[in-house]
Amino acid sequence: MEIKYEDLPELRKRLRGSGVTTESQNRLPLFEPTLRPRYGKRVFEGKYGKLIVEGRLGQPHKNLLETILWKKEIYDFFEDGKTKYLKVLYDEGKIRKYLSQKSIYSYKTYKTLLKDMILTYIELKTDKLEIKGTLVMEIDKSDVMKPVKSRSPIIPEQVPLTTIKFGAVGTALFENELRFTYDPKPILNLRNGISQAVVRYLRTQQSHPEAGYYLRPLLESLEGPMEKEKWWERKRHLKEDANLLEQLGIVINFKDDRVIVVESHKRH
């Protein structure tokens, strides 16, 4: 059946929320807690599972992926033989506009991050699943055309929407894990990747200790044991984002190295 752009609002009404992320994506360092991830092999084991990542995934990739899922048009699971995969339809222009801050979000950056997600190989083992493969399989132009309102003769009257097909790992996570929905904008406004990763980790917790979290074990659950220099660097980065973190309900006592989640933000 051919889908037209004007059909999308009605189709959305029939779908349950897909979420913008899942447990393992936020509780394990699937995405390195930095805004400058490097190519390489990362091996991690913690209380939420084991992980091997070969490639480059960091918080910029997470920002893009969450925004695509937050601003998506429609989504569905499809089967190709015995293989199931998640497919999401979205508007590239809408995504880049949402990600823009002081300047227009770079198209080159957008394409590079998508390519990284396609090329990165992941092995993941948790209590719920054991899976190998990629997060994203491919990106394609869709047959669904969006009308464009413009009087300029050089701008086309309509442009195609884009589809992102998730790979084995991405599909399995959204199919089998608890999903979470939140607006990614306040998170991507944080200046440092470790701050973004901390918020995402805490957003997946059903409850929080009244006395708060010990800061160092919390950070090590996001990237493994830290040498002294990295520990101080991470604290410095968190201090730079302290005010914005408080606006998100996360208060850090740097003297005692404790993290308190304010009650009103626990389930948002």
Side-chain angles (χ1 to χ4, degrees), residues 202 207-215 218 251-253 256-263 266:
L202 295 174
S207 61
H208 306 282
E210 290 188 11
Y213 298 86
Y214 288 102
L215 181 58
L218 174 59
V251 179
I252 302 178
N253 178 338
D256 298 328
D257 290 335
R258 300 295 283 263
V259 181
I260 304 293
V261 179
V262 179
E263 180 68 31
K266 285 184 179 181

Side-chain angles (χ1 to χ4, degrees), residues 24-33 42 44 51 53 57 221-224:
S24 292
Q25 290 184 66
N26 285 29
R27 293 179 182 176
L28 288 166
L30 187 65
F31 298 88
E32 195 176 352
R42 292 185 286 118
F44 178 87
L51 181 69
V53 179
L57 292 178
S221 72
L222 294 169
E223 58 181 321

